Amino acid sequence: MKPQHNLEQITLYLTQTLSGYEVIPANWGWHIHKGDKYCGHMEYQRTKGWQGRAFNRLPTKLKEQLKKFAQSGFSMRSVTT
């Protein structure tokens, strides 16, 4: 898959997984909103995994789902920095 396609697929996954949140693609990662509240930025790096203010604010269950998704190897290598 091409990196842009992978990014779109990951954005779709995030949108579905983070139901109740708005996921907005950014230059490096995603901006996450919940209603009128800005939760922060979130990104994925191969060496560090998911990180960012928004990721840290997510409920533990959602964090675990995102970690499993990244570990599944779903083309995360081609969208990492």
Side-chain angles (χ1 to χ4, degrees):
M1 276 194 229
K2 295 180 181 178
Q4 182 61 35
H5 181 71
N6 291 345
L7 186 59
E8 291 168 4
Q9 291 295 317
I10 293 168
T11 299
L12 178 62
Y13 175 81
L14 290 173
T15 301
Q16 293 171 344
T17 302
L18 303 177
S19 61
Y21 293 84
E22 183 179 5
V23 177
I24 302 169
N27 289 337
W28 298 103
W30 300 267
H31 293 287
I32 308 297
H33 296 256
K34 186 165 187 171
D36 292 337
K37 183 179 178 186
Y38 177 65
C39 300
H41 182 263
M42 184 170 80
E43 66 182 51
Y44 180 83
Q45 292 185 12
R46 187 177 337 146
T47 58
K48 297 180 181 180
W50 291 102
Q51 59 183 3
R53 183 172 157 205
F55 179 74
N56 293 331
R57 291 181 169 195
L58 291 174
T60 302
K61 183 178 178 180
L62 291 175
K63 287 183 193 178
E64 291 302 318
Q65 284 181 286
L66 293 176
K67 288 177 186 177
K68 287 180 184 177
F69 176 71
Q71 291 170 350
S72 73
F74 178 81
S75 302
M76 295 300 284
R77 288 181 290 270
S78 56
V79 296
T80 61
T81 57

